Amino acid sequence: MPAQFGLSPVISGSAPIGIFDSGVGGLTVLKEIERQLPKESILYVGDTARLPYGDRTPGEILEFVREIIAWMMGKQVKMVMMACNTSSALALEQVQAEFPVPILGLIHPGARAATKAGQRVGVIATPATVASNAYRDAILEADARTQVWQVGCPRFVPLIEGDRLLALETKQVAAEYLSPLLAANIDTLIYGCTHYPHLEPVLRSLLPSQVQRINPAVHMVRAAAKELELLNLKNPGPARPPQFYVSGNPQQFAHLSERWLGYQPLVGQVSFVPVAAPSLHSQGQ
Ligand code: DGL
């Protein structure tokens, strides 16, 4: 295992859980952790200088994810939750093999929950997540009888990061993205990007009430709770206030996130440094 990524021997339950996203999408995961695991401390990273991830190549996404997790290892996190579907779709298996820390993604928990909810599943996600087919594959692996429709939604993240949640344009764009899924008569919809639960009021208003809406974060955090228990890494509590770092403008993130957090957080700035692909720790090197 490469020494620079080694888990500290003193790592304990009181260490924070690291979560990251390109921007404010990860706040929907933070909320879910606070709801299900209120005693856990959280280190939040938003790679705002490089968003949206959804338009990036798989190679770029893997590089960014490596840099963020390497930085989090320096902050002694005890676990990493990818609060970003695009990263989960394109980099999870690779970084799980590279870093000696439990790393959880959103795709499989979300896909399994969807197959329990229905048989005609729609997925809205970033173009990169849709192109990877990660959700389609995971859904069919969970239940091969399920039918899947995927729609890439490139305009959602810029609208959310631009604080345009209530704009008429946002509703029109949402109606456009949902229209092929409604035509396919879906019974279940996966929010395949962590930004999208921020659009819940708009999306709910456009969907028939019988369509089940799946937020994969609910299911990833449930899995994380089990894993912390198993590894004996639960924090006896109390949680410290979450720490926030972004690669872009801290004030802009603090201002935008107030809407969901209910307070303006203190936000630090981080510059990520390129990381060479570490040798795989699963090979014991
Ligand atoms: N919120 C992220 C996701 O879940 C990334 C969105 C983006 O930056 O395009 O996919």
Side-chain angles (χ1 to χ4, degrees):
M1 156 191 324
Q4 77 266 33
F5 297 131
L7 250 195
S8 154
V10 294
I11 208 82
S12 74
S14 62
I17 295 173
I19 72 174
F20 70 89
D21 179 44
S22 60
V24 293
L27 296 177
T28 63
V29 179
L30 178 137
K31 286 274 161 207
E32 198 49 43
I33 297 173
E34 289 182 339
R35 192 175 73 79
Q36 291 191 42
L37 298 169
K39 292 181 178 168
E40 299 297 337
S41 303
I42 298 170
L43 170 68
Y44 187 104
V45 169
D47 193 3
T48 51
R50 301 189 288 200
L51 70 78
Y53 274 16
D55 299 341
R56 298 285 188 167
T57 65
E60 284 177 315
I61 291 162
L62 177 58
E63 248 175 66
F64 299 165
V65 171
R66 261 195 199 120
E67 290 174 14
I68 294 169
I69 298 178
W71 182 83
M72 284 181 163
M73 296 299 286
K75 293 275 183 191
Q76 309 281 310
V77 295
K78 63 179 178 183
M79 169 180 272
V80 174
M81 282 191 225
M82 290 189 170
C84 170
N85 288 266
T86 311
S87 306
S88 307
L90 289 148
L92 179 65
E93 281 80 15
Q94 188 69 27
V95 290
Q96 277 177 332
E98 292 175 355
F99 291 92
V101 65
I103 305 175
L104 281 77
L106 291 151
I107 308 290
H108 284 275
R112 277 194 294 268
T115 57
K116 283 183 194 144
Q119 292 256 289
R120 300 176 68 81
V121 176
V123 181
I124 48 173
T126 66
T129 299
V130 167
S132 76
N133 274 321
Y135 265 114
R136 177 191 297 277
D137 295 347
I139 289 166
L140 295 178
E141 191 186 308
D143 185 343
R145 294 164 305 175
T146 313
Q147 286 185 274
V148 186
W149 291 267
Q150 305 184 91
V151 176
C153 308
R155 294 175 68 192
F156 274 161
V157 168
L159 284 167
I160 296 162
E161 293 284 342
D163 204 8
R164 309 216 41 226
L165 294 186
L166 303 174
L168 178 62
E169 183 190 356
T170 304
K171 189 155 187 174
Q172 285 165 343
V173 167
E176 197 182 300
Y177 288 147
L178 291 181
S179 104
L181 301 175
L182 296 176
N185 204 16
I186 57 163
D187 55 25
T188 306
L189 178 68
I190 298 181
Y191 290 166
C193 169
T194 52
H195 280 76
Y196 301 171
H198 290 322
L199 294 176
E200 169 76 6
V202 176
L203 295 170
R204 198 183 41 223
S205 75
L206 294 166
L207 288 164
S209 58
Q210 70 275 14
V211 174
Q212 305 273 337
R213 300 180 306 279
I214 305 289
N215 175 0
V218 172
H219 308 278
M220 175 178 71
V221 174
R222 210 169 276 161
K226 283 194 194 137
E227 188 142 347
L228 288 172
E229 178 86 59
L230 214 69
L231 297 171
N232 207 15
L233 277 178
K234 285 177 80 176
N235 190 16
R240 291 184 299 279
Q243 294 173 269
F244 295 91
Y245 289 88
V246 296
S247 57
N249 183 326
Q251 283 73 38
Q252 196 179 323
F253 182 89
H255 178 74
L256 185 60
S257 58
E258 184 177 9
R259 167 198 295 277
W260 297 292
L261 293 172
Y263 60 93
Q264 278 225 13
L266 270 180
V267 182
Q269 179 141 41
V270 53
S271 308
F272 296 111
V273 283
V275 176
S279 35
L280 299 186
H281 90 273
S282 57
Q283 292 171 0
Q285 290 166 1

